[in-house]
Amino acid sequence: MIKVAPSILSANFAAMGEAVQKLKSQGADWVHFDVMDGNFVPNITFGPDMCKAIRPLTDLPIDVHLMVEHPSDWIVPFQKAGADILTIHVESSERHLHRALQAIHAAGMKAGVVLNPATSIHACTHVLPECDLVLLMSVNPGFGGQSFIPETLRKIRELRSEINSRGLSTLIEIDGGVNPETAALCRDAGADILVAGSAVFKALDPAEAIKAIRG
Ligand code: DX5
Ligand code: ZN
């Protein structure tokens, strides 16, 4: 069963509470929460205080995607803010990925790594047993509304085969440029979770958009 995780980066920030409250009835599975520090990526979004503010408004899992340097510094703040899933970039300044993943688990959250479009899946193969999920970026991180990079499909297939051949249960999440058309390609290639920002929040009918992305 494919999961859809709308990215609230594309929601109306002036009506964030309302947007989050509606997501469950619109058919969302997870709330995707994009944290940017203006350093790892050329944009700044929001942090643990926003997570804490939306936590009481939904019982959907909050899926925190850390696009920051020193991601380990944010494990405890996000755990305290009620996050359920924390993913960190392999390209970030975290040198001890394995230990960081263990620290996320020790804090009671699901853990995963994120790979930029230019990063090979081999950057995560040795930590796969520590990953509940791997997030493959299908755009360069920093902004919503970009076009899906087709090469991602080959990465999904490679990672799917690596996970299956090792009998692991790691989930594959895709983030960036996902719309009903690119979602179908990702599902066929073996993705489990599809993040969608613009395709959900800029749609006339977000519930219909979520349904079309799930397929
Ligand atoms: C990009 C973020 C994405 C983004 C997706 O850096 O990680 O989650 O919000 O937005 P769309 O779906 O518009 O590409
Ligand atoms: Zn994201």
Side-chain angles (χ1 to χ4, degrees), residues 22-33:
K22 282 185 189 163
L23 282 175
K24 191 173 184 177
S25 65
Q26 289 170 337
D29 298 285
W30 291 358
V31 179
H32 188 76
F33 191 98

Side-chain angles (χ1 to χ4, degrees), residues 32 34 65 175:
H32 188 76
D34 285 307
H65 172 193
D175 186 3

Side-chain angles (χ1 to χ4, degrees), residues 130-143:
E130 303 298 325
C131 292
D132 298 293
L133 69 163
V134 171
L135 172 48
L136 299 180
M137 289 307 302
S138 38
V139 298
N140 288 294
F143 304 95

Side-chain angles (χ1 to χ4, degrees), residues 86-108:
L86 209 60
T87 58
I88 57 179
H89 272 262
V90 302
E91 306 87 357
S92 76
S93 56
E94 176 53 69
R95 289 183 181 174
H96 305 288
L97 212 51
H98 189 274
R99 184 158 61 202
L101 291 164
Q102 289 184 325
I104 298 170
H105 281 139

